[in-house]
Amino acid sequence: MGKPYFSRILLKISGEALGGEHGGLEPSSIAQSAQLILEAVRAGAQTAVIIGAGNLFRGLAGSKQGMDRVGADYMGMLATCMNALAMRDALKSAGQAAEIQSALPIAGVLPPFDYREADRMLSEGKVVLFAAGTGHPFFSTDTTAALRALEIRAEAVFKATKVDGIYTADPVTHPEATRYEKLSYDEALAQHLKVMDSNAFALCQDNGLPTVVFKAATPGVLTEILSGDFRHGTLVTAK
């Protein structure tokens, strides 16, 4: 296999991808997401992963129901730790070495984030799962993905979604919408296109970090994209 289009990536997976119909942790859904990670590894990319917490608890949703926002966000960070532990187990069951680093370390369970150690493990072919977001409230896992990607010198952030890229409008409500194969951050901003939250968008744009948006449920999509084929995704770059 030749050199992949991106040799090191940060893969962002939603928490909902790990949950069943009513949320929680669904073994078959976890295994399916693990296969997505394995596909990136087998395509030759060193792969770090961040998983959201939507299947368990969202801090913002909790705050809208009357909870203190700071406390609610910390609960959401702990939910990402649970998802990371579940994913590490699934990857190891599939024969893939994987480790977790957490912004909220727990002695004997979750070691702390260390960009140098993460770099070493990725170079050894291990999958590195980043848990607990940035360790601070008011920051999403999208922002964490952009931040960690820059810290570990990833070449792109890959965002797994329910649609196969970025469209001129919501393709669910506007069937005439067309998909962009490649797009600049300036164009996305000018056209008010939703790529990720504003903090994450600014981090990627300011540092020239490419973002790839793709549909997680498309078979072979990461193999395709990592070969340089963006027919089933959208590449957003600085230029």
Side-chain angles (χ1 to χ4, degrees), residues 9 16 19 24 33 36 45 50 95-96 101 106 109 118 124 126 138 145 157 164 174 180 185 223 228 232:
I9 67 170
E16 288 89 344
S33 291
L36 185 67
I50 286 177
Q96 172 61 49
Q101 290 190 348
I106 302 174
V109 181
E124 292 174 351
K126 295 179 180 178
F138 301 102
V157 173
D164 59 342
H174 296 79
Y180 293 98
Y185 281 108
T223 301
H232 296 103

Side-chain angles (χ1 to χ4, degrees), residues 32-213:
Q32 186 174 2
S33 291
Q35 287 302 313
L36 185 67
I37 297 169
L38 290 169
E39 184 183 337
V41 174
R42 290 165 182 163
Q46 296 175 5
T47 307
V49 181
I50 286 177
I51 305 172
N55 57 318
L56 298 174
F57 186 85
R58 287 183 182 276
L60 184 58
S63 69
K64 288 180 178 178
Q65 295 175 1
M67 294 183 66
D68 173 70
R69 174 64 188 272
V70 174
D73 276 357
Y74 277 116
M75 290 175 66
M77 291 179 221
L78 293 174
T80 69
C81 294
M82 295 174 65
N83 283 340
L85 286 164
M87 182 54 69
R88 182 181 66 181
D89 182 73
L91 289 169
K92 288 192 172 182
S93 294
Q96 172 61 49
E99 300 293 344
I100 300 173
Q101 290 190 348
S102 176
L104 298 176
I106 302 174
V109 181
L110 297 170
F113 170 70
D114 183 328
Y115 75 95
R116 295 164 301 178
E117 184 68 8
D119 177 69
R120 182 187 65 79
M121 290 190 292
L122 288 166
S123 296
E124 292 174 351
K126 295 179 180 178
V127 169
V128 180
L129 300 149
F130 296 126
T134 65
H136 301 282
F138 301 102
F139 292 97
S140 70
T141 46
D142 271 3
T143 300
T144 307
L147 177 62
R148 292 288 185 255
L150 291 167
E151 289 175 307
I152 63 169
R153 295 175 295 177
E155 295 177 4
V157 173
F158 275 56
K159 186 174 180 180
T161 68
K162 295 179 180 179
V163 293
D164 59 342
I166 300 169
Y167 282 74
T168 52
D170 185 346
V172 176
T173 56
H174 296 79
E176 76 284 0
T178 57
R179 182 183 59 83
Y180 293 98
E181 187 167 300
K182 294 185 179 180
L183 187 69
S184 74
Y185 281 108
D186 287 343
E187 289 170 333
L189 189 62
Q191 297 176 47
H192 305 287
L193 300 173
K194 181 67 174 175
V195 179
M196 54 184 70
D197 73 49
S198 58
N199 286 328
F201 185 97
L203 271 173
C204 292
Q205 182 181 34
D206 291 349
N207 292 279
L209 178 65
T211 300
V212 177
V213 179

